[in-house]
PDB file of all heavy atoms in Angstrom:
ATOM      1  N   ASP A 391     -52.896 178.238 115.621  1.00  0.00           N
ATOM      2  CA  ASP A 391     -52.408 179.283 116.520  1.00  0.00           C
ATOM      3  C   ASP A 391     -51.257 180.041 115.848  1.00  0.00           C
ATOM      4  O   ASP A 391     -50.217 179.459 115.539  1.00  0.00           O
ATOM      5  CB  ASP A 391     -51.937 178.694 117.833  1.00  0.00           C
ATOM      6  CG  ASP A 391     -51.679 179.706 118.907  1.00  0.00           C
ATOM      7  OD1 ASP A 391     -50.838 180.628 118.653  1.00  0.00           O
ATOM      8  OD2 ASP A 391     -52.354 179.692 119.973  1.00  0.00           O
ATOM      9  N   PHE A 392     -51.536 181.304 115.556  1.00  0.00           N
ATOM     10  CA  PHE A 392     -50.539 182.097 114.830  1.00  0.00           C
ATOM     11  C   PHE A 392     -49.564 182.785 115.761  1.00  0.00           C
ATOM     12  O   PHE A 392     -48.643 183.472 115.334  1.00  0.00           O
ATOM     13  CB  PHE A 392     -51.241 183.161 113.977  1.00  0.00           C
ATOM     14  CG  PHE A 392     -52.155 182.574 112.915  1.00  0.00           C
ATOM     15  CD1 PHE A 392     -53.493 182.444 113.134  1.00  0.00           C
ATOM     16  CD2 PHE A 392     -51.607 182.151 111.683  1.00  0.00           C
ATOM     17  CE1 PHE A 392     -54.332 181.878 112.198  1.00  0.00           C
ATOM     18  CE2 PHE A 392     -52.433 181.589 110.717  1.00  0.00           C
ATOM     19  CZ  PHE A 392     -53.832 181.439 111.020  1.00  0.00           C
ATOM     20  N   GLY A 393     -49.759 182.600 117.053  1.00  0.00           N
ATOM     21  CA  GLY A 393     -48.897 183.306 118.013  1.00  0.00           C
ATOM     22  C   GLY A 393     -47.771 182.458 118.545  1.00  0.00           C
ATOM     23  O   GLY A 393     -47.343 181.478 117.950  1.00  0.00           O
ATOM     24  N   GLU A 394     -47.348 182.854 119.730  1.00  0.00           N
ATOM     25  CA  GLU A 394     -46.211 182.197 120.427  1.00  0.00           C
ATOM     26  C   GLU A 394     -46.491 180.709 120.677  1.00  0.00           C
ATOM     27  O   GLU A 394     -45.602 179.863 120.515  1.00  0.00           O
ATOM     28  CB  GLU A 394     -46.056 182.842 121.764  1.00  0.00           C
ATOM     29  CG  GLU A 394     -44.725 183.560 121.967  1.00  0.00           C
ATOM     30  CD  GLU A 394     -44.731 184.210 123.333  1.00  0.00           C
ATOM     31  OE1 GLU A 394     -44.856 183.470 124.381  1.00  0.00           O
ATOM     32  OE2 GLU A 394     -44.603 185.442 123.392  1.00  0.00           O
ATOM     33  N   ASP A 395     -47.751 180.387 121.033  1.00  0.00           N
ATOM     34  CA  ASP A 395     -48.068 178.995 121.374  1.00  0.00           C
ATOM     35  C   ASP A 395     -47.900 178.115 120.154  1.00  0.00           C
ATOM     36  O   ASP A 395     -47.360 176.992 120.253  1.00  0.00           O
ATOM     37  CB  ASP A 395     -49.505 178.907 121.888  1.00  0.00           C
ATOM     38  CG  ASP A 395     -49.655 179.428 123.311  1.00  0.00           C
ATOM     39  OD1 ASP A 395     -48.583 179.654 123.943  1.00  0.00           O
ATOM     40  OD2 ASP A 395     -50.774 179.627 123.779  1.00  0.00           O
ATOM     41  N   GLY A 396     -48.341 178.626 119.012  1.00  0.00           N
ATOM     42  CA  GLY A 396     -48.186 177.848 117.757  1.00  0.00           C
ATOM     43  C   GLY A 396     -46.719 177.577 117.465  1.00  0.00           C
ATOM     44  O   GLY A 396     -46.320 176.454 117.094  1.00  0.00           O
ATOM     45  N   ASP A 397     -45.898 178.620 117.688  1.00  0.00           N
ATOM     46  CA  ASP A 397     -44.455 178.467 117.461  1.00  0.00           C
ATOM     47  C   ASP A 397     -43.857 177.451 118.423  1.00  0.00           C
ATOM     48  O   ASP A 397     -42.992 176.632 118.067  1.00  0.00           O
ATOM     49  CB  ASP A 397     -43.748 179.807 117.659  1.00  0.00           C
ATOM     50  CG  ASP A 397     -43.952 180.717 116.467  1.00  0.00           C
ATOM     51  OD1 ASP A 397     -44.384 180.235 115.415  1.00  0.00           O
ATOM     52  OD2 ASP A 397     -43.730 181.950 116.606  1.00  0.00           O
ATOM     53  N   LYS A 398     -44.326 177.520 119.699  1.00  0.00           N
ATOM     54  CA  LYS A 398     -43.812 176.569 120.699  1.00  0.00           C
ATOM     55  C   LYS A 398     -44.149 175.141 120.300  1.00  0.00           C
ATOM     56  O   LYS A 398     -43.325 174.231 120.408  1.00  0.00           O
ATOM     57  CB  LYS A 398     -44.508 176.866 122.026  1.00  0.00           C
ATOM     58  CG  LYS A 398     -43.606 177.594 122.995  1.00  0.00           C
ATOM     59  CD  LYS A 398     -44.240 177.571 124.336  1.00  0.00           C
ATOM     60  CE  LYS A 398     -44.210 178.914 125.003  1.00  0.00           C
ATOM     61  NZ  LYS A 398     -45.039 179.102 126.155  1.00  0.00           N
ATOM     62  N   LEU A 399     -45.371 174.924 119.855  1.00  0.00           N
ATOM     63  CA  LEU A 399     -45.791 173.600 119.420  1.00  0.00           C
ATOM     64  C   LEU A 399     -44.902 173.058 118.289  1.00  0.00           C
ATOM     65  O   LEU A 399     -44.429 171.944 118.302  1.00  0.00           O
ATOM     66  CB  LEU A 399     -47.265 173.562 118.997  1.00  0.00           C
ATOM     67  CG  LEU A 399     -48.335 173.761 120.070  1.00  0.00           C
ATOM     68  CD1 LEU A 399     -49.705 173.986 119.465  1.00  0.00           C
ATOM     69  CD2 LEU A 399     -48.367 172.535 120.985  1.00  0.00           C
ATOM     70  N   ALA A 400     -44.644 173.980 117.332  1.00  0.00           N
ATOM     71  CA  ALA A 400     -43.824 173.588 116.174  1.00  0.00           C
ATOM     72  C   ALA A 400     -42.408 173.223 116.591  1.00  0.00           C
ATOM     73  O   ALA A 400     -41.846 172.235 116.156  1.00  0.00           O
ATOM     74  CB  ALA A 400     -43.806 174.729 115.142  1.00  0.00           C
ATOM     75  N   GLN A 401     -41.876 174.062 117.509  1.00  0.00           N
ATOM     76  CA  GLN A 401     -40.497 173.887 117.907  1.00  0.00           C
ATOM     77  C   GLN A 401     -40.338 172.624 118.789  1.00  0.00           C
ATOM     78  O   GLN A 401     -39.484 171.771 118.528  1.00  0.00           O
ATOM     79  CB  GLN A 401     -40.099 175.119 118.695  1.00  0.00           C
ATOM     80  CG  GLN A 401     -38.651 175.306 118.892  1.00  0.00           C
ATOM     81  CD  GLN A 401     -38.445 176.325 120.012  1.00  0.00           C
ATOM     82  OE1 GLN A 401     -39.293 177.117 120.358  1.00  0.00           O
ATOM     83  NE2 GLN A 401     -37.243 176.248 120.630  1.00  0.00           N
ATOM     84  N   LEU A 402     -41.191 172.497 119.796  1.00  0.00           N
ATOM     85  CA  LEU A 402     -41.079 171.344 120.737  1.00  0.00           C
ATOM     86  C   LEU A 402     -41.496 170.049 120.074  1.00  0.00           C
ATOM     87  O   LEU A 402     -40.952 168.997 120.379  1.00  0.00           O
ATOM     88  CB  LEU A 402     -41.919 171.610 122.005  1.00  0.00           C
ATOM     89  CG  LEU A 402     -41.449 172.783 122.806  1.00  0.00           C
ATOM     90  CD1 LEU A 402     -42.547 173.164 123.829  1.00  0.00           C
ATOM     91  CD2 LEU A 402     -40.153 172.497 123.510  1.00  0.00           C
ATOM     92  N   GLY A 403     -42.436 170.150 119.148  1.00  0.00           N
ATOM     93  CA  GLY A 403     -42.921 168.919 118.483  1.00  0.00           C
ATOM     94  C   GLY A 403     -42.111 168.602 117.252  1.00  0.00           C
ATOM     95  O   GLY A 403     -42.410 167.623 116.553  1.00  0.00           O
TER      96      GLY A 403
END
Side-chain angles (χ1 to χ4, degrees):
D391 190 301
F392 298 97
E394 242 177 60
D395 286 349
D397 284 344
K398 256 192 226 168
L399 289 170
Q401 196 197 338
L402 297 167

